[in-house]
Amino acid sequence: MEDSAIIELYWQRSDTAISESERKYGRYCRKIARNICTTPEDAEECVNDTWLKAWNLMPDKRPTVLSAFLGSITRSVALNLIKAQNRLKRGGGETTLALDELAECVAGRADPQREVEERELARALGRFVGALPREEKQVFILRYWYLAPVEEIAKTLGFSTSKTKSMLHRTRKKLKTFLEKEELC
Amino acid sequence: MLNSFTLLQAMNGIAARDVAAAGRLYISGDAKKHGGKRLFALALAAALLLGLGTAAYAVSRRIALKDGAFIFDGESYPTVSFEKTDSEPLRLGVWDLGEIPAGFSAVKSYYRGSEARTDYQNDKGETIMLLYQKPTGQVDSFINAAIASKSEVEINGGEGVVYVAEDGWTHVFWTAAERGIAMRLSVKGDYDAVKLAQSVHETGTAPRPDEETLLALHELGSWQADVPTGYEELISYGVAGDYGYIYRIYENAAAQELEVYYERSVSDLEGYVAYYRSGNSSYGAISLNAVTVNDCDGWLATSGDGEAHFIVWQNSEYNMTFRITADALTSEELLRAAQGTYLCE
């Protein structure tokens, strides 16, 4: 079923919306959840929560890109779950590694008095990533949005692992500069 | 204080289109040279309850309007389909209501190259939905509402059908015969749906950019390339701010894409192309040949067999970096498109 039809079903409060979402995007959301969660059971719970949250969000929301909308919900649910489980530093898989990598972007001239609003930060990140060259953008999104292992990214895009790591390193350096310039860290 | 977890969470601010594009590569393994077409074959949502197994065709010049049934979990949902019977139209165009009932205004819209939709609402929450698309293949859908009546109509020379649903909605489906566009208008309440449908007309070739894109165009300027004959602009979008950029997407009748991208220069040209020179890009090994574009330094990227991929140059006067990427242009055509780039007033 096409995306607009699935969205229409959500708006009409039809149960079919959930089964159609599962049918079309279950694999997609499961992949995201499994990259973040520590156990398959947790990942499954996150995917099920995704359909429920999508059900609650539509209406009023009418997503322009349904896959990203559902994936974004899965991602948030999974990140919140492992945060609640306090597993960030205790075997959070790719999440732990990604957090370690991103730590270099937020270290530096930090002002402990300043609470960065996540929405402001999200908007800034949208601008930053949007301006990256296409391949650099793809690598960055696969690593820090999908939490994909570096090896999988390299395989997906046809790069060597070392090149992928090198690209990520360069982009993180750019991100650090960007965040400092924006006074977000 | 910002921590890495907050940063990770805030990645949700990355544009949905970029996330979806990367996801298509990652989840499906469907790696594509140009990042995927922006043409999405999206269904028209229909509201139908028809006799099972019946089929009635109303053939227009280019597409067929067809009744049918969709079976899901043992239940049958009546459908209306638009089936392409001839070559699809080159462009979707922009369509709008000619007569908008008093009190209604457009509240939501989207435009995706092959499908567009606008919702109008009034203070009472009554809605008129106009949805139109290029029939890139069979498209059909359904809703859970019984249909009270069905009648055939002619809408501006195109075959059409009207369904009145028991939930108060009226749905008109028709084909804009001359343009080969599949149309749908749905309205709830005491409004003449057929009259509204008859007022729908084409108002332009490309959608008005959204607010963010307009701001980016204001900041960066509206630059146009000299695209070859046969290419139509599908959509422009951009992001404003320090790292702002603009994309303009064009397509020809053979669905070959041309993309014009520009941004404020964030590095020197050597630094910009170093990434491609390293072989890191999805183009793989390419040759970069120095070119001059209107007295500005640039590089033309070609593959080993001479196929042109993109041209990039920097205009120091405007501190702007441009890139034109094309599926099927020769080096000469790319260079011509680049040299014809101009700033619209």
Side-chain angles (χ1 to χ4, degrees), chain B residues 5-304:
Chain B
F5 185 77
T6 307
L7 188 58
L8 197 62
Q9 283 184 310
M11 297 289 174
N12 271 352
I14 297 172
R17 59 177 175 266
D18 290 335
V19 170
R24 275 196 295 276
L25 297 172
Y26 178 49
I27 307 295
S28 69
D30 182 24
K32 288 182 180 176
K33 189 169 69 172
H34 290 298
K37 299 292 181 192
R38 286 162 187 80
L39 300 179
F40 300 91
L42 296 168
L44 290 176
L48 317 171
L49 184 58
L50 308 171
L52 299 183
T54 62
Y57 282 83
V59 180
S60 74
R61 274 181 58 178
R62 280 179 153 170
I63 56 175
L65 190 61
K66 176 187 172 187
D67 294 346
F70 175 77
I71 309 296
F72 181 76
D73 280 354
E75 288 193 47
S76 176
Y77 299 89
T79 66
V80 155
S81 306
F82 290 92
E83 283 189 325
K84 183 175 68 174
T85 57
D86 198 350
S87 59
E88 68 176 88
L90 173 58
R91 60 179 168 77
L92 182 63
V94 179
W95 300 73
D96 202 356
L97 288 176
E99 293 181 19
I100 301 174
F104 279 84
S105 60
V107 290
K108 289 180 181 175
S109 66
Y110 65 77
Y111 194 98
R112 292 176 181 145
S114 65
E115 185 199 66
R117 173 173 171 168
T118 304
D119 287 4
Y120 307 81
Q121 274 184 355
N122 64 11
D123 290 343
K124 298 180 204 168
E126 293 174 321
T127 301
I128 301 169
M129 185 190 78
L130 174 64
L131 197 151
Y132 51 99
Q133 75 164 172
K134 292 201 290 187
T136 52
Q138 179 173 323
V139 287
D140 55 22
S141 192
F142 59 90
I143 62 169
N144 299 331
I147 300 300
S149 68
K150 172 196 171 188
S151 56
E152 293 183 0
V153 291
E154 183 181 306
I155 306 287
N156 302 330
E159 304 279 357
V161 61
V162 181
Y163 296 92
V164 179
E166 291 181 353
D167 61 1
W169 283 85
T170 301
H171 308 271
V172 187
F173 298 84
W174 75 101
T175 65
E178 291 301 317
R179 293 273 290 106
I181 306 290
M183 316 286 295
R184 175 196 174 186
L185 181 139
S186 296
V187 58
K188 188 175 186 179
D190 189 20
Y191 299 95
D192 187 338
V194 172
K195 192 177 171 191
L196 288 171
Q198 283 171 334
S199 81
V200 172
H201 63 292
E202 194 170 9
T203 60
T205 57
R208 187 176 183 273
D210 59 27
E211 292 302 318
E212 176 78 13
T213 302
L214 286 173
L215 184 57
L217 285 167
H218 174 72
E219 291 178 357
L220 300 175
S222 178
W223 292 83
Q224 294 280 359
D226 182 17
V227 299
T229 304
Y231 280 84
E232 294 274 359
E233 183 170 349
L234 289 181
I235 194 166
S236 291
Y237 61 88
V239 169
D242 290 347
Y243 290 79
Y245 60 86
I246 295 285
Y247 273 104
R248 293 190 189 280
I249 312 296
Y250 301 81
E251 193 183 57
N252 67 10
Q256 292 165 327
E257 213 172 271
L258 185 151
E259 176 185 291
V260 178
Y261 171 86
Y262 58 94
E263 62 181 341
R264 293 252 183 256
S265 301
V266 291
S267 67
D268 58 31
L269 193 58
E270 272 296 330
Y272 190 94
V273 297
Y275 172 75
Y276 296 101
R277 199 189 292 284
S278 71
N280 274 350
S281 79
S282 60
Y283 296 110
I286 54 173
S287 299
L288 284 163
N289 301 300
V291 292
T292 302
V293 179
N294 299 332
D295 297 328
C296 301
D297 291 335
W299 294 95
L300 176 69
T302 55
S303 60

Side-chain angles (χ1 to χ4, degrees), chain A residues 2 4-5 8 11-12 14 20 23 27 35 64 75-76 80 130-131 134-135 146 152 159 163 167 178, chain B residues 5 8-9 11-12 19 23 26-27 41 43 72 108 112 117 141 143-144 243 245 259 275 280 282:
Chain A
E2 301 291 352
S4 60
E8 206 61 43
W11 274 60
Q12 292 154 20
S14 165
E20 284 298 310
R23 185 196 301 247
R27 177 168 164 256
N35 280 347
T64 52
R75 187 177 183 279
S76 296
N80 286 333
R134 180 184 292 163
E135 287 81 2
Y146 288 95
E152 282 188 14
F159 304 154
K163 278 186 180 174
M167 287 170 73
F178 172 78
Chain B
F5 185 77
L8 197 62
Q9 283 184 310
M11 297 289 174
N12 271 352
V19 170
Y26 178 49
I27 307 295
F72 181 76
K108 289 180 181 175
R112 292 176 181 145
R117 173 173 171 168
S141 192
I143 62 169
N144 299 331
Y243 290 79
Y245 60 86
E259 176 185 291
Y275 172 75
N280 274 350
S282 60

